[in-house]
Amino acid sequence: MPDKRIGLTEAISSIESGMTIGIGGWGSRRKPMAAVRELLRSDVTDLTVVAFGGPDVGLLVAAGKVRKLIYGFVSLDSIALDPLFTAARERGELEISEYDEGMFVTGLRAAASRLSFLPTLAGLGSDVMAANPHLKTIASPYSDDEYVAVPATPLDVALIHVNRSDSGGNAQFLGPDPYFDDLFAMAATRTFVTTERIVETEDLLDEGSFHTLMLSRMYVTGVIETPNGAHFTTCEPDYGRDEAFQKHYAASAKDPESWRAFVHEFLSGDEAGYHEAVARFHAVQEKK
Amino acid sequence: MTADATIAEICIAACSDTYRESGELMAHAVGTIPTIGARLAKLTHNPDLVLSDGEAFMMSEPPPLGKSAAGGGIIEGWAPFRRVFDIVATGRRQSMMGASQIDRYGNQNISLIGDWNKPKRQLIGVRGAPGNTANHRVDYWVSRHSARLFVESVDMVSGVGNDRARAAGPSMRFHHLGVIVTNLAVLGYDDDGRVTVLSIHPGVDPQEVVDNTGFALDVEGAPLTRVPTAEELRLIREVLDPRGGRTREVQN
């Protein structure tokens, strides 16, 4: 089995401006935040980002990394809206494709199957069609039906975060929901997996049944050990969402001055510096 | 004694009634009152209803209100988000969604206010509303019935209304808008697909419904919404919502 361990900086530096990047997770759940923070540190720009969006989308949009966003929704879950995303939308500066959640998955499935489109009922009659003028319908050759032909969403790179992986990239989801991370990987040319912990292959079944081995190394380019790498989103069962910090993020994001302070405090150093700053944040919170 | 039922409790019973004809399918409820309504249906007239914890599990006994399966209950199945979309496509599901705007044909908007290219307010996005309305019955829950919500035309059609469904042709044959439960009334749709009044809650002045709806609505002769039975009130107050979460959506 190949050894695919790679440094976070090395992995992210292989991403070029203009690429289409799929980001796994869902809302504010098991997002590859360490990889997103590394993208923020890079000089990459002009990205097309494909995601069930959460703070990953907010941060990348606010940092000016995103030319186009393809999404099913953008939410922080316990906080309905991401202020950085909504502000960018309300300034009218973001090119977007807003899809129904199921349509969004259909586009990934088409790409993973190397099809140019897949048909679905979702979207018919709705303004998703008007808002996305590139969308076409297709007549069934077998009935009077007409379906939405959801175009494939092929990805240059997928970034996902998992609970465990071996050094070859066999990745394991231990939480209640795998989301669509395996599908992102299958729709992508290259996939980088950040993981809470790299374990020996023979230890992969120590913490979960074989059903949890949903992503094979066949689809994985590089593996990066990033403990707490989904912070501040959930990474069940390893840890839940850091709600206090997410609140601080959302509150800071609402005002340019407090946002500059947030960026200075948390996003101006390396990954170790980020986690130290988060620890300081909690130490101050506890004293209050 | 049922005369002292609150508006919140009347709304819960109306939400429960949306499952009377459903049989064995998955209840999807957004909001506290619809969630209690689905649970009430399961404990009374529709024991076959499949409940979820709002996250990844189907629950034969639901977790405490507002909690996921990690907080308790009995898991009977696994339905991570990818399975939910599969279930939507089979039609074995019924949704009660919220709304930021609804028009006279039941077109619903949760995506944004204003212009698509530069919205005045970006909201949550269309989420699953187009797929839900194309595939199975959808009802709406409106905790504050107002003319800002019930509008002549919505800014973006997220959930498909009756006129749009009809125009879209035979592929929309699974489209089925049920009712709209609000804090003032229960609304339905006439043969032309237009929003009508099915009943007005006891104690609500019919003129209040007219004044708070942004399109014409005939309230003449509308019956009173049914009041929960004594058993339903006991279940709501003692079993399903002893901490009164329902009053956070509808005060009285």
Side-chain angles (χ1 to χ4, degrees):
Chain A
M1 195 188 300
D3 185 348
K4 294 179 188 162
R5 285 174 294 179
I6 183 176
L8 185 60
T9 306
E10 196 188 337
I12 297 303
S13 67
S14 73
I15 295 175
E16 294 164 27
S17 294
M19 281 187 166
T20 298
I21 308 294
I23 303 177
W26 168 284
S28 186
R29 304 177 199 205
R30 203 161 37 69
K31 282 286 175 177
M33 296 299 284
V36 169
R37 286 185 286 268
E38 191 61 28
L39 267 177
L40 298 177
R41 291 175 204 117
S42 78
D43 54 12
V44 164
T45 179
D46 215 25
L47 297 174
T48 294
V49 170
V50 179
F52 278 118
D56 51 334
V57 163
L59 285 166
L60 290 170
V61 164
K65 301 288 188 191
V66 183
R67 182 181 62 81
K68 183 177 181 187
L69 186 64
I70 302 174
Y71 63 95
F73 62 81
V74 180
S75 172
L76 301 175
D77 294 307
S78 51
I79 299 169
L81 302 172
D82 180 289
L84 297 175
F85 164 71
T86 55
R89 277 288 284 142
E90 289 162 15
R91 285 194 299 267
E93 65 187 23
L94 197 59
E95 189 186 335
I96 60 165
S97 281
E98 178 176 306
Y99 288 159
D100 165 87
E101 294 171 18
M103 285 176 81
F104 179 89
V105 175
T106 303
L108 286 177
R109 281 196 205 286
S113 307
R114 300 184 292 172
L115 296 168
S116 61
F117 77 93
L118 275 173
T120 181
L121 292 179
L124 287 172
S126 80
D127 276 344
V128 168
M129 305 305 289
N132 295 283
H134 65 281
L135 285 178
K136 294 182 165 62
T137 57
I138 184 164
S140 166
Y142 304 108
S143 69
D144 295 335
D145 288 304
E146 185 131 329
Y147 303 116
V148 178
V150 182
T153 320
L155 310 170
D156 294 311
V157 177
L159 302 173
I160 68 173
H161 184 76
V162 302
N163 300 95
R164 306 285 179 271
S165 170
D166 67 12
S167 57
N170 290 303
Q172 183 174 38
F173 309 103
L174 292 172
D177 199 321
Y179 310 120
F180 299 87
D181 289 359
D182 50 336
L183 198 53
F184 273 92
M186 293 163 87
T189 310
R190 292 184 298 145
T191 295
F192 292 110
V193 169
T194 59
T195 178
E196 286 298 312
R197 193 142 48 85
I198 293 175
V199 298
E200 294 298 326
T201 305
E202 62 260 38
D203 296 334
L204 278 172
L205 294 181
D206 287 358
E207 293 177 85
S209 78
F210 49 82
H211 303 91
T212 61
L213 299 177
M214 291 181 66
L215 179 57
S216 158
R217 63 187 168 85
M218 294 187 294
Y219 303 106
V220 175
T221 311
V223 179
I224 307 121
E225 191 170 64
T226 58
N228 229 2
H231 183 270
F232 49 88
T233 69
T234 61
C235 189
E236 303 286 352
D238 292 318
Y239 46 89
R241 186 177 299 124
D242 187 341
E243 296 287 2
F245 190 81
Q246 172 160 294
K247 254 184 220 158
H248 182 56
Y249 159 79
S252 304
K254 282 182 181 154
D255 165 70
E257 200 171 314
S258 58
W259 181 244
R260 272 194 295 277
F262 184 96
V263 170
H264 177 73
E265 190 175 359
F266 297 103
L267 301 173
S268 300
D270 60 9
E271 189 62 11
Y274 170 80
H275 291 290
E276 283 160 21
V278 171
R280 279 198 300 276
F281 166 81
H282 283 294
V284 170
Q285 292 287 108
E286 269 165 41
K287 273 187 209 146
K288 276 182 188 170
Chain B
M1 190 52 202
T2 57
D4 62 342
T6 65
I7 293 290
E9 289 159 350
I10 288 167
C11 290
I12 289 167
C15 292
S16 164
D17 285 345
T18 65
Y19 298 101
R20 282 196 185 271
E21 312 287 322
S22 334
E24 196 168 12
L25 50 62
M26 189 182 217
H28 168 237
V30 182
T32 302
I33 281 176
T35 299
I36 302 170
R39 292 175 178 198
L40 183 64
K42 187 177 168 68
L43 290 181
T44 55
H45 57 83
N46 187 352
D48 295 343
L49 202 58
V50 177
L51 300 179
S52 100
D53 72 335
E55 299 206 347
F57 298 102
M58 295 163 168
M59 309 296 298
S60 68
E61 189 180 293
L65 206 58
K67 296 251 168 48
S68 70
I74 297 171
I75 294 170
E76 67 173 17
W78 187 40
F81 290 125
R82 62 180 59 206
R83 292 288 290 152
V84 171
F85 297 128
D86 295 340
I87 294 165
V88 168
T90 68
R92 299 299 299 163
R93 187 168 181 263
Q94 185 176 309
S95 279
M96 182 168 257
M97 301 187 74
S100 302
Q101 293 177 325
I102 296 177
D103 75 12
R104 64 169 70 243
Y105 284 100
N107 291 291
Q108 168 252 29
N109 173 26
I110 49 174
S111 182
L112 55 81
I113 299 297
D115 178 60
W116 170 253
N117 291 310
K118 193 174 184 295
K120 204 183 303 168
R121 272 183 65 210
Q122 173 68 41
L123 304 174
I124 194 74
V126 297
R127 295 220 63 155
N132 291 347
T133 47
N135 281 289
H136 57 67
R137 174 170 170 169
V138 174
D139 304 272
Y140 294 113
W141 160 239
V142 171
S143 61
R144 282 182 65 186
H145 191 135
S146 78
R148 280 178 49 156
L149 191 141
F150 288 102
V151 293
E152 201 59 55
S153 77
V154 302
D155 292 0
M156 179 171 188
V157 175
S158 311
V160 179
N162 292 315
D163 55 341
R164 292 284 198 109
R166 213 166 283 180
S171 302
M172 286 297 277
R173 62 186 168 278
F174 309 117
H175 180 265
H176 176 198
L177 298 184
V179 298
I180 308 168
V181 178
T182 84
N183 60 319
L184 302 181
V186 181
L187 310 177
Y189 305 91
D190 67 17
D191 291 343
D192 293 325
R194 287 199 194 87
V195 172
T196 58
V197 177
L198 294 181
S199 65
I200 295 174
H201 303 335
V204 172
D205 179 354
Q207 191 57 40
E208 201 186 334
V209 178
V210 173
D211 292 346
N212 286 288
T213 305
F215 47 82
L217 211 50
D218 183 10
V219 294
E220 192 82 21
L224 291 182
T225 309
R226 80 171 181 93
V227 176
T229 66
E231 174 61 3
E232 284 176 317
L233 282 178
R234 185 189 70 78
L235 289 168
I236 293 168
R237 293 170 183 178
E238 295 172 23
V239 179
L240 295 170
D241 186 29
R243 300 177 66 184
R246 60 194 179 281
T247 60
R248 280 195 293 274
E249 278 184 357
V250 174
Q251 262 86 44
N252 54 344

